[in-house]
């Protein structure tokens, strides 16, 4: 998949993504001392299936059922006025809510940090968690806000002009993380 | 999507589905303890009502406030309009105040269309004369879709005063776009002459249509407009076109009963039918806020041109 102007390179393949998620699941269990009071909330579109996969792994390793949901942040974005109104994603908060629990936000790519800032605002309207942590499959750097991830699948040094795209079976029918060079903004 | 919402006919199938899908997600916000979203912070929505309306105005007001917009209510009574100001001068005043959207209800068909050429903001038609009321049609479609899961191929019967009804016209246009089959039932005197060109069927006999309906929508008999002997008496109208318990029994098991409100209980709809589990009348009110949030978000939430 190479043409004159853009150059695409796969950074992670299916098995790499699986291994990264397995490690993150173990780290979550370790850091939260057994994952007993956590809630996993995926940020649509691709954070949601990642959150469910982490939930399955934690259930497998610890034998407990972790509440999993999704948190759409579209209405909280700070760049809404730069583009036409976009369609909304699904927000699904587990029935027991998030009050006094440790919420682990799950996203596919951590870049400027603005999505996570919006997610923190959205979270405040849903309840009051005891603590909030962040898990991301890829951290590509170039933060514009003082935000960092607690769990990272892969640190990927990138140029700002490059694009990182995550493909998942549930949303795209294939598994890969690719780096697109020279795609521009 | 268009910058204005003036007619249901302006909506393509994709536009209509986008509004309904957005409303589906927004409906979940109404279940939360904090029912507010910051999305339209700093935007101004003007409710410009030249005709009396309680439910539509407060529905738009609630929708705009839940999206954090500033709301200015302007009703013709006790305002500069009662001193003789023209629609154009009112529009220029609103323009000078910097309205991002104007929600207008007006007694004259076409007023929102005229307004759109005078102000920069988005115009939302909240009912103009006997022309259209697109957000009512959207909330009706949304209510049907939630109850019946899809509108494709569903048979919708609209009963009553089609002649004076902007709700009927908007519904016929939108439901057609969404793939439903619409039948209008009314006495011949209460059908507009152009009805043959509408994309729907027409019948004068309610009893024969009921068994083939998935949705029966009763329109209000607008007693304030019944000044030209459109039917012999209220009782006769009620007997031939009113929905009572016996007629409800003729409808298929899953079929629902709708009414845009306000109702004349005992006239077009019997009280026990209006209060039955198959009636969606209260749901329609709640869905009205949700669908208007979706419309305001899609018109004002993104970049403005």
């Amino acid at each position: 998949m190479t043409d004159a102007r853009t150059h695409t390179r796969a950074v992670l393949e299916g098995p790499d993504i699986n291994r990264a998620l397995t490690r993150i699941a173990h780290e979550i269990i370790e850091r939260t001392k057994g994952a007993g009071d956590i809630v996993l909330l995926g940020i649509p579109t691709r954070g949601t299936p990642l959150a469910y996969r982490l939930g399955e792994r934690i259930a497998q390793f610890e034998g407990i059922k972790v509440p999993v949901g999704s948190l759409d942040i579209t209405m909280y974005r700070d760049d809404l006025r730069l583009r036409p109104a976009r369609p909304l994603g699904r927000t699904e908060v587990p029935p027991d809510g998030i009050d006094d629990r440790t919420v682990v936000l799950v996203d596919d790519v951590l870049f400027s940090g603005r999505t996570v800032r919006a997610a923190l605002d959205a979270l405040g309207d849903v309840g009051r968690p005891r603590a909030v942590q962040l898990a991301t499959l890829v951290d590509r750097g170039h933060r514009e806000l003082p935000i960092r991830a607690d769990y990272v699948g892969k640190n990927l040094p990138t140029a700002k002009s490059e694009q990182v795209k995550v493909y998942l079976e549930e949303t795209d029918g294939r598994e890969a993380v690719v780096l697109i060079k020279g795609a521009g903004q | 999507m268009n910058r204005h919402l003036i007619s249901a006919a302006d909506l393509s199938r994709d536009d209509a589905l986008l509004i309904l899908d957005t409303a589906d997600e927004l409906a979940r916000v109404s279940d939360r303890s904090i029912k507010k979203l910051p999305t339209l912070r700093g935007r101004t929505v003007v409710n410009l009502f030249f005709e009396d309306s309680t439910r539509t105005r407060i529905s738009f007001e609630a929708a705009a406030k839940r999206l954090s917009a500033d709301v200015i209510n302007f009703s013709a009574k006790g305002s500069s309009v009662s001193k003789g100001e023209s629609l154009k001068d009112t529009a220029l005043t609103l323009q000078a105040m910097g309205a991002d959207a104007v929600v207008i209800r007006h007694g004259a068909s076409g007023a929102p269309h005229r307004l759109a050429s005078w102000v920069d903001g988005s115009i939302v038609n909240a009912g103009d004369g006997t022309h259209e009321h697109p957000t009512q049609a959207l909330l009706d479609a949304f209510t049907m879709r939630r109850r019946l899961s899809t509108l494709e191929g569903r048979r919708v019967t609209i009963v009553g005063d089609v002649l004076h009804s902007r709700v009927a016209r908007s519904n016929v246009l939108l439901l057609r776009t969404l793939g439903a089959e619409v039948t209008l039932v009314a006495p011949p005197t209460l059908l507009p002459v152009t009805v043959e060109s509408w994309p729907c069927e027409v019948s004068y006999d309610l009893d024969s249509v009921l068994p083939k309906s998935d949705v029966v929508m009763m329109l209000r008999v607008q007693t304030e407009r019944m000044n030209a002997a459109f039917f012999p008496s209220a009782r006769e109208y009620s007997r031939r076109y009113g929905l009572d318990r016996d007629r409800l029994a003729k409808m298929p098991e899953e079929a629902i009963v709708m009414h845009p409100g306000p109702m004349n209980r005992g006239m077009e709809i019997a009280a026990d039918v209006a209060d039955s589990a198959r009636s969606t009348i209260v749901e329609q009110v709640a869905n009205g806020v949700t669908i208007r949030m979706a419309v305001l978000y899609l018109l004002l939430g993104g970049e403005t041109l």
Side-chain angles (χ1 to χ4, degrees), chain A residues 71-72 74-77 79-93 121-122 124-127, chain B residues 18 22 24-26 28 32-34 36-43 67 293 297-304:
Chain A
L71 183 71
D72 181 53
T74 310
M75 303 290 263
Y76 295 85
R77 298 186 75 99
D79 59 352
L80 275 174
R81 292 187 191 180
L82 303 181
R83 284 208 267 152
R86 29 198 129 187
L88 303 182
R90 171 67 45 94
T91 293
E92 205 140 24
V93 179
D121 281 357
D125 283 354
V126 176
Chain B
L18 175 63
T22 304
D24 260 329
E25 301 304 336
L26 287 171
R28 292 162 179 269
R32 307 195 318 206
S33 54
I34 298 177
K36 211 168 168 80
L37 294 163
T39 317
L40 297 185
R41 224 155 54 90
R43 302 261 165 143
L67 292 170
M293 284 174 76
Y297 165 65
L298 292 170
L299 290 179
L300 298 181
E303 65 183 338
T304 39

Short mmCIF file of all heavy atoms in Angstrom, two decimals, chain A residues 71-72 74-77 79-93 121-122 124-127, chain B residues 18 22 24-26 28 32-34 36-43 67 293 297-304:
data_model
loop_
_atom_site.label_atom_id
_atom_site.label_comp_id
_atom_site.label_asym_id
_atom_site.label_seq_id
_atom_site.Cartn_x
_atom_site.Cartn_y
_atom_site.Cartn_z
N LEU A 71 -18.54 5.74 26.77
CA LEU A 71 -18.75 7.15 27.10
C LEU A 71 -18.49 7.97 25.85
O LEU A 71 -17.34 8.12 25.43
CB LEU A 71 -17.80 7.55 28.24
CG LEU A 71 -17.92 8.96 28.78
CD1 LEU A 71 -19.21 9.11 29.59
CD2 LEU A 71 -16.72 9.30 29.67
N ASP A 72 -19.58 8.49 25.25
CA ASP A 72 -19.39 9.31 24.06
C ASP A 72 -19.04 10.73 24.49
O ASP A 72 -19.64 11.28 25.39
CB ASP A 72 -20.66 9.34 23.21
CG ASP A 72 -20.48 10.18 21.96
OD1 ASP A 72 -19.51 9.92 21.23
OD2 ASP A 72 -21.28 11.10 21.71
N THR A 74 -18.57 13.36 22.14
CA THR A 74 -18.78 14.32 21.04
C THR A 74 -19.31 15.66 21.52
O THR A 74 -18.81 16.72 21.13
CB THR A 74 -19.77 13.73 20.02
OG1 THR A 74 -19.34 12.42 19.69
CG2 THR A 74 -19.83 14.58 18.77
N MET A 75 -20.33 15.62 22.41
CA MET A 75 -20.96 16.88 22.84
C MET A 75 -20.05 17.70 23.74
O MET A 75 -20.39 18.82 24.11
CB MET A 75 -22.26 16.57 23.59
CG MET A 75 -23.26 15.75 22.80
SD MET A 75 -24.00 16.66 21.45
CE MET A 75 -25.51 17.20 22.19
N TYR A 76 -18.93 17.14 24.16
CA TYR A 76 -18.01 17.84 25.08
C TYR A 76 -16.73 18.30 24.39
O TYR A 76 -15.84 18.83 25.02
CB TYR A 76 -17.66 16.92 26.26
CG TYR A 76 -18.85 16.60 27.13
CD1 TYR A 76 -19.70 15.57 26.81
CD2 TYR A 76 -19.13 17.37 28.25
CE1 TYR A 76 -20.81 15.29 27.60
CE2 TYR A 76 -20.24 17.09 29.05
CZ TYR A 76 -21.07 16.06 28.72
OH TYR A 76 -22.16 15.79 29.50
N ARG A 77 -16.62 18.06 23.08
CA ARG A 77 -15.40 18.40 22.36
C ARG A 77 -15.19 19.91 22.34
O ARG A 77 -16.15 20.68 22.36
CB ARG A 77 -15.48 17.91 20.92
CG ARG A 77 -15.60 16.41 20.77
CD ARG A 77 -15.52 16.05 19.32
NE ARG A 77 -14.16 16.16 18.87
CZ ARG A 77 -13.36 15.11 18.75
NH1 ARG A 77 -13.79 13.90 18.99
NH2 ARG A 77 -12.12 15.28 18.35
N ASP A 79 -13.59 21.28 19.78
CA ASP A 79 -13.40 21.67 18.38
C ASP A 79 -14.67 21.46 17.56
O ASP A 79 -14.63 21.35 16.35
CB ASP A 79 -12.24 20.88 17.75
CG ASP A 79 -12.48 19.39 17.82
OD1 ASP A 79 -13.45 18.96 18.47
OD2 ASP A 79 -11.69 18.63 17.22
N LEU A 80 -15.83 21.45 18.26
CA LEU A 80 -17.09 21.20 17.55
C LEU A 80 -17.33 22.21 16.44
O LEU A 80 -17.87 21.89 15.39
CB LEU A 80 -18.26 21.27 18.53
CG LEU A 80 -18.57 19.98 19.30
CD1 LEU A 80 -19.65 20.25 20.33
CD2 LEU A 80 -19.01 18.90 18.35
N ARG A 81 -16.93 23.45 16.71
CA ARG A 81 -17.27 24.50 15.74
C ARG A 81 -16.32 24.54 14.55
O ARG A 81 -16.45 25.38 13.68
CB ARG A 81 -17.27 25.85 16.43
CG ARG A 81 -18.43 25.88 17.40
CD ARG A 81 -18.61 27.22 18.00
NE ARG A 81 -19.55 27.10 19.11
CZ ARG A 81 -19.93 28.10 19.85
NH1 ARG A 81 -19.45 29.29 19.62
NH2 ARG A 81 -20.79 27.93 20.83
N LEU A 82 -15.33 23.66 14.53
CA LEU A 82 -14.39 23.68 13.41
C LEU A 82 -14.88 22.80 12.26
O LEU A 82 -14.33 22.85 11.17
CB LEU A 82 -13.02 23.19 13.88
CG LEU A 82 -12.42 23.99 15.04
CD1 LEU A 82 -11.06 23.46 15.42
CD2 LEU A 82 -12.33 25.48 14.67
N ARG A 83 -15.89 21.97 12.54
CA ARG A 83 -16.37 21.07 11.51
C ARG A 83 -17.89 21.01 11.56
O ARG A 83 -18.48 21.40 12.55
CB ARG A 83 -15.81 19.65 11.76
CG ARG A 83 -14.36 19.53 11.36
CD ARG A 83 -14.05 18.10 10.98
NE ARG A 83 -13.55 17.31 12.10
CZ ARG A 83 -13.72 15.99 12.19
NH1 ARG A 83 -14.42 15.34 11.28
NH2 ARG A 83 -13.21 15.32 13.18
N PRO A 84 -18.55 20.50 10.50
CA PRO A 84 -20.01 20.35 10.59
C PRO A 84 -20.38 19.42 11.75
O PRO A 84 -19.56 18.61 12.17
CB PRO A 84 -20.39 19.71 9.25
CG PRO A 84 -19.24 19.97 8.34
CD PRO A 84 -18.02 20.07 9.20
N ALA A 85 -21.59 19.56 12.26
CA ALA A 85 -22.02 18.73 13.40
C ALA A 85 -21.83 17.26 13.08
O ALA A 85 -22.14 16.80 12.00
CB ALA A 85 -23.49 19.01 13.70
N ARG A 86 -21.24 16.52 14.05
CA ARG A 86 -20.99 15.11 13.75
C ARG A 86 -21.99 14.20 14.44
O ARG A 86 -22.57 14.58 15.45
CB ARG A 86 -19.57 14.72 14.14
CG ARG A 86 -19.03 15.52 15.27
CD ARG A 86 -17.53 15.44 15.36
NE ARG A 86 -17.00 16.79 15.44
CZ ARG A 86 -15.73 17.09 15.40
NH1 ARG A 86 -14.84 16.15 15.25
NH2 ARG A 86 -15.34 18.33 15.48
N PRO A 87 -22.16 13.00 13.89
CA PRO A 87 -23.07 12.07 14.52
C PRO A 87 -22.57 11.66 15.91
O PRO A 87 -21.37 11.69 16.17
CB PRO A 87 -23.10 10.87 13.58
CG PRO A 87 -22.04 11.09 12.57
CD PRO A 87 -21.56 12.49 12.66
N LEU A 88 -23.48 11.31 16.79
CA LEU A 88 -23.10 10.97 18.16
C LEU A 88 -22.77 9.50 18.28
O LEU A 88 -23.31 8.67 17.57
CB LEU A 88 -24.24 11.31 19.12
CG LEU A 88 -24.73 12.76 19.10
CD1 LEU A 88 -25.83 12.96 20.13
CD2 LEU A 88 -23.57 13.71 19.38
N GLY A 89 -21.88 9.16 19.23
CA GLY A 89 -21.62 7.76 19.57
C GLY A 89 -22.52 7.35 20.72
O GLY A 89 -23.31 8.14 21.23
N ARG A 90 -22.34 6.11 21.14
CA ARG A 90 -23.20 5.56 22.18
C ARG A 90 -22.61 5.77 23.56
O ARG A 90 -21.42 5.52 23.76
CB ARG A 90 -23.37 4.06 21.88
CG ARG A 90 -24.04 3.21 22.94
CD ARG A 90 -25.49 3.55 23.12
NE ARG A 90 -26.23 3.71 21.89
CZ ARG A 90 -26.94 2.73 21.33
NH1 ARG A 90 -26.96 1.54 21.84
NH2 ARG A 90 -27.63 2.96 20.23
N THR A 91 -23.40 6.28 24.49
CA THR A 91 -22.98 6.30 25.90
C THR A 91 -23.77 5.25 26.64
O THR A 91 -25.00 5.24 26.59
CB THR A 91 -23.24 7.67 26.54
OG1 THR A 91 -22.37 8.63 25.93
CG2 THR A 91 -22.95 7.64 28.04
N GLU A 92 -23.08 4.33 27.27
CA GLU A 92 -23.76 3.26 28.00
C GLU A 92 -23.07 3.08 29.33
O GLU A 92 -22.00 2.49 29.40
CB GLU A 92 -23.71 1.98 27.18
CG GLU A 92 -24.81 1.03 27.50
CD GLU A 92 -25.34 0.38 26.22
OE1 GLU A 92 -24.58 0.30 25.24
OE2 GLU A 92 -26.48 -0.05 26.21
N VAL A 93 -23.66 3.65 30.37
CA VAL A 93 -23.06 3.54 31.70
C VAL A 93 -23.61 2.28 32.36
O VAL A 93 -24.82 2.06 32.31
CB VAL A 93 -23.39 4.80 32.54
CG1 VAL A 93 -22.79 4.69 33.93
CG2 VAL A 93 -22.87 6.05 31.84
N ASP A 121 -14.73 15.77 31.42
CA ASP A 121 -15.91 16.61 31.59
C ASP A 121 -17.19 15.77 31.53
O ASP A 121 -18.09 15.94 32.35
CB ASP A 121 -15.98 17.68 30.48
CG ASP A 121 -15.05 18.85 30.77
OD1 ASP A 121 -14.43 18.84 31.85
OD2 ASP A 121 -14.95 19.75 29.92
N ALA A 122 -17.24 14.88 30.53
CA ALA A 122 -18.44 14.04 30.37
C ALA A 122 -18.64 13.18 31.60
O ALA A 122 -19.76 13.01 32.08
CB ALA A 122 -18.29 13.18 29.12
N GLY A 124 -17.89 13.82 34.62
CA GLY A 124 -18.41 14.61 35.72
C GLY A 124 -19.93 14.76 35.70
O GLY A 124 -20.55 14.96 36.73
N ASP A 125 -20.51 14.64 34.49
CA ASP A 125 -21.97 14.73 34.37
C ASP A 125 -22.65 13.39 34.60
O ASP A 125 -23.87 13.30 34.69
CB ASP A 125 -22.36 15.27 32.98
CG ASP A 125 -22.14 16.77 32.88
OD1 ASP A 125 -21.81 17.39 33.91
OD2 ASP A 125 -22.29 17.32 31.77
N VAL A 126 -21.87 12.32 34.65
CA VAL A 126 -22.45 10.99 34.82
C VAL A 126 -22.40 10.56 36.28
O VAL A 126 -23.26 9.84 36.76
CB VAL A 126 -21.71 9.97 33.92
CG1 VAL A 126 -22.23 8.56 34.15
CG2 VAL A 126 -21.85 10.35 32.45
N GLY A 127 -21.39 11.00 36.99
CA GLY A 127 -21.27 10.62 38.39
C GLY A 127 -19.96 11.12 38.97
O GLY A 127 -19.27 11.94 38.36
N LEU B 18 -30.39 10.64 10.32
CA LEU B 18 -29.37 11.22 11.21
C LEU B 18 -30.03 11.90 12.41
O LEU B 18 -29.58 11.75 13.55
CB LEU B 18 -28.51 12.22 10.43
CG LEU B 18 -27.47 12.99 11.26
CD1 LEU B 18 -26.43 12.04 11.85
CD2 LEU B 18 -26.76 14.05 10.41
N THR B 22 -29.51 10.58 16.18
CA THR B 22 -28.97 11.52 17.17
C THR B 22 -29.91 11.59 18.36
O THR B 22 -29.48 11.58 19.52
CB THR B 22 -28.80 12.92 16.53
OG1 THR B 22 -27.96 12.78 15.38
CG2 THR B 22 -28.15 13.89 17.50
N ASP B 24 -31.91 9.29 19.37
CA ASP B 24 -31.80 8.03 20.12
C ASP B 24 -30.70 8.12 21.17
O ASP B 24 -30.87 7.67 22.30
CB ASP B 24 -31.45 6.88 19.16
CG ASP B 24 -32.69 6.07 18.79
OD1 ASP B 24 -33.60 5.98 19.63
OD2 ASP B 24 -32.72 5.53 17.68
N GLU B 25 -29.56 8.69 20.80
CA GLU B 25 -28.45 8.82 21.75
C GLU B 25 -28.78 9.87 22.81
O GLU B 25 -28.47 9.70 23.99
CB GLU B 25 -27.15 9.17 21.04
CG GLU B 25 -26.70 8.16 19.97
CD GLU B 25 -26.55 6.75 20.51
OE1 GLU B 25 -26.35 6.58 21.73
OE2 GLU B 25 -26.66 5.81 19.71
N LEU B 26 -29.41 10.97 22.37
CA LEU B 26 -29.72 12.05 23.32
C LEU B 26 -30.78 11.63 24.33
O LEU B 26 -30.84 12.15 25.44
CB LEU B 26 -30.18 13.30 22.56
CG LEU B 26 -29.08 14.04 21.82
CD1 LEU B 26 -29.68 15.12 20.92
CD2 LEU B 26 -28.11 14.67 22.81
N ARG B 28 -30.84 9.11 26.00
CA ARG B 28 -30.17 8.55 27.18
C ARG B 28 -29.78 9.63 28.17
O ARG B 28 -29.67 9.37 29.36
CB ARG B 28 -28.91 7.80 26.75
CG ARG B 28 -29.27 6.59 25.98
CD ARG B 28 -28.09 6.07 25.17
NE ARG B 28 -28.53 4.90 24.47
CZ ARG B 28 -28.42 3.67 24.94
NH1 ARG B 28 -27.86 3.46 26.09
NH2 ARG B 28 -28.88 2.65 24.28
N ARG B 32 -30.27 10.61 32.90
CA ARG B 32 -29.19 10.85 33.86
C ARG B 32 -29.62 11.85 34.92
O ARG B 32 -30.60 12.56 34.77
CB ARG B 32 -27.96 11.40 33.13
CG ARG B 32 -27.53 10.55 31.98
CD ARG B 32 -26.15 10.86 31.51
NE ARG B 32 -25.82 12.27 31.42
CZ ARG B 32 -24.89 12.75 30.60
NH1 ARG B 32 -24.26 11.94 29.80
NH2 ARG B 32 -24.61 14.02 30.60
N SER B 33 -28.81 11.93 35.99
CA SER B 33 -29.17 12.89 37.03
C SER B 33 -28.85 14.31 36.56
O SER B 33 -29.57 15.25 36.88
CB SER B 33 -28.44 12.57 38.32
OG SER B 33 -27.05 12.50 38.08
N ILE B 34 -27.77 14.48 35.80
CA ILE B 34 -27.47 15.80 35.22
C ILE B 34 -27.88 15.76 33.76
O ILE B 34 -27.25 15.11 32.93
CB ILE B 34 -25.98 16.14 35.37
CG1 ILE B 34 -25.63 16.22 36.86
CG2 ILE B 34 -25.66 17.46 34.66
CD1 ILE B 34 -24.18 16.47 37.14
N LYS B 36 -27.88 17.97 31.45
CA LYS B 36 -27.42 19.10 30.67
C LYS B 36 -26.14 18.75 29.91
O LYS B 36 -25.29 18.04 30.42
CB LYS B 36 -27.16 20.27 31.61
CG LYS B 36 -27.40 21.63 31.00
CD LYS B 36 -27.40 22.68 32.10
CE LYS B 36 -27.33 24.06 31.52
NZ LYS B 36 -28.64 24.52 31.05
N LEU B 37 -26.03 19.29 28.71
CA LEU B 37 -24.81 19.12 27.92
C LEU B 37 -24.26 20.49 27.58
O LEU B 37 -25.02 21.43 27.39
CB LEU B 37 -25.13 18.36 26.62
CG LEU B 37 -25.58 16.91 26.82
CD1 LEU B 37 -26.27 16.38 25.58
CD2 LEU B 37 -24.38 16.05 27.16
N PRO B 38 -22.94 20.65 27.50
CA PRO B 38 -22.35 21.98 27.32
C PRO B 38 -22.29 22.43 25.85
O PRO B 38 -21.78 23.50 25.56
CB PRO B 38 -20.93 21.79 27.86
CG PRO B 38 -20.62 20.35 27.57
CD PRO B 38 -21.92 19.60 27.68
N THR B 39 -22.85 21.63 24.96
CA THR B 39 -22.56 21.77 23.53
C THR B 39 -22.84 23.14 22.92
O THR B 39 -22.08 23.63 22.10
CB THR B 39 -23.34 20.70 22.76
OG1 THR B 39 -23.22 19.49 23.48
CG2 THR B 39 -22.82 20.53 21.36
N LEU B 40 -23.97 23.78 23.28
CA LEU B 40 -24.32 25.05 22.62
C LEU B 40 -24.05 26.25 23.53
O LEU B 40 -24.71 27.28 23.42
CB LEU B 40 -25.79 25.03 22.19
CG LEU B 40 -26.17 23.98 21.15
CD1 LEU B 40 -27.63 24.16 20.72
CD2 LEU B 40 -25.26 24.04 19.93
N ARG B 41 -23.06 26.11 24.41
CA ARG B 41 -22.71 27.22 25.29
C ARG B 41 -22.36 28.46 24.46
O ARG B 41 -21.58 28.36 23.51
CB ARG B 41 -21.51 26.84 26.15
CG ARG B 41 -21.65 27.22 27.60
CD ARG B 41 -20.80 26.32 28.46
NE ARG B 41 -19.41 26.32 27.99
CZ ARG B 41 -18.48 27.17 28.42
NH1 ARG B 41 -18.77 28.07 29.32
NH2 ARG B 41 -17.26 27.11 27.95
N GLY B 42 -22.95 29.60 24.82
CA GLY B 42 -22.64 30.83 24.10
C GLY B 42 -23.46 31.05 22.84
O GLY B 42 -23.30 32.05 22.16
N ARG B 43 -24.34 30.11 22.51
CA ARG B 43 -25.21 30.31 21.36
C ARG B 43 -26.58 30.81 21.85
O ARG B 43 -27.00 30.47 22.95
CB ARG B 43 -25.42 29.00 20.61
CG ARG B 43 -24.13 28.37 20.13
CD ARG B 43 -23.92 28.70 18.68
NE ARG B 43 -22.55 28.41 18.31
CZ ARG B 43 -22.21 27.92 17.13
NH1 ARG B 43 -23.13 27.66 16.24
NH2 ARG B 43 -20.96 27.72 16.84
N LEU B 67 -29.07 21.95 26.15
CA LEU B 67 -27.82 22.02 25.39
C LEU B 67 -27.02 23.26 25.77
O LEU B 67 -26.06 23.62 25.09
CB LEU B 67 -28.12 22.02 23.89
CG LEU B 67 -28.70 20.72 23.33
CD1 LEU B 67 -29.17 20.92 21.90
CD2 LEU B 67 -27.66 19.62 23.39
N MET B 293 -33.78 18.73 20.65
CA MET B 293 -32.35 18.80 21.00
C MET B 293 -31.52 18.33 19.81
O MET B 293 -30.52 18.96 19.45
CB MET B 293 -32.05 17.91 22.21
CG MET B 293 -32.49 18.46 23.55
SD MET B 293 -32.25 17.27 24.88
CE MET B 293 -30.47 17.35 25.12
N TYR B 297 -28.92 20.66 17.88
CA TYR B 297 -27.51 20.25 17.85
C TYR B 297 -27.01 20.17 16.41
O TYR B 297 -25.94 20.70 16.08
CB TYR B 297 -27.32 18.91 18.54
CG TYR B 297 -25.99 18.27 18.24
CD1 TYR B 297 -24.80 18.88 18.67
CD2 TYR B 297 -25.89 17.12 17.49
CE1 TYR B 297 -23.57 18.32 18.37
CE2 TYR B 297 -24.66 16.55 17.17
CZ TYR B 297 -23.50 17.17 17.61
OH TYR B 297 -22.28 16.63 17.30
N LEU B 298 -27.78 19.53 15.53
CA LEU B 298 -27.30 19.34 14.16
C LEU B 298 -27.26 20.65 13.38
O LEU B 298 -26.42 20.83 12.50
CB LEU B 298 -28.18 18.31 13.44
CG LEU B 298 -28.02 16.88 14.00
CD1 LEU B 298 -29.09 15.95 13.42
CD2 LEU B 298 -26.63 16.32 13.72
N LEU B 299 -28.15 21.61 13.73
CA LEU B 299 -28.12 22.90 13.02
C LEU B 299 -27.05 23.83 13.58
O LEU B 299 -26.42 24.58 12.85
CB LEU B 299 -29.48 23.60 13.13
CG LEU B 299 -30.65 22.98 12.35
CD1 LEU B 299 -31.91 23.80 12.59
CD2 LEU B 299 -30.35 22.91 10.87
N LEU B 300 -26.83 23.79 14.91
CA LEU B 300 -25.95 24.78 15.54
C LEU B 300 -24.67 24.21 16.12
O LEU B 300 -23.78 24.96 16.49
CB LEU B 300 -26.70 25.48 16.70
CG LEU B 300 -27.95 26.27 16.37
CD1 LEU B 300 -28.52 26.88 17.63
CD2 LEU B 300 -27.62 27.35 15.37
N GLY B 301 -24.60 22.89 16.25
CA GLY B 301 -23.49 22.29 16.98
C GLY B 301 -22.16 22.38 16.27
O GLY B 301 -21.10 22.44 16.89
N GLY B 302 -22.20 22.39 14.95
CA GLY B 302 -20.95 22.39 14.19
C GLY B 302 -20.55 23.78 13.76
O GLY B 302 -20.98 24.77 14.33
N GLU B 303 -19.70 23.84 12.74
CA GLU B 303 -19.29 25.14 12.24
C GLU B 303 -20.50 25.82 11.61
O GLU B 303 -21.37 25.16 11.06
CB GLU B 303 -18.18 24.97 11.18
CG GLU B 303 -18.67 24.25 9.94
CD GLU B 303 -17.57 24.03 8.93
OE1 GLU B 303 -16.57 24.75 8.97
OE2 GLU B 303 -17.72 23.14 8.10
N THR B 304 -20.56 27.14 11.72
CA THR B 304 -21.65 27.84 11.06
C THR B 304 -21.12 28.49 9.80
O THR B 304 -20.01 29.02 9.78
CB THR B 304 -22.28 28.90 11.98
OG1 THR B 304 -21.24 29.53 12.71
CG2 THR B 304 -23.25 28.27 12.93
#
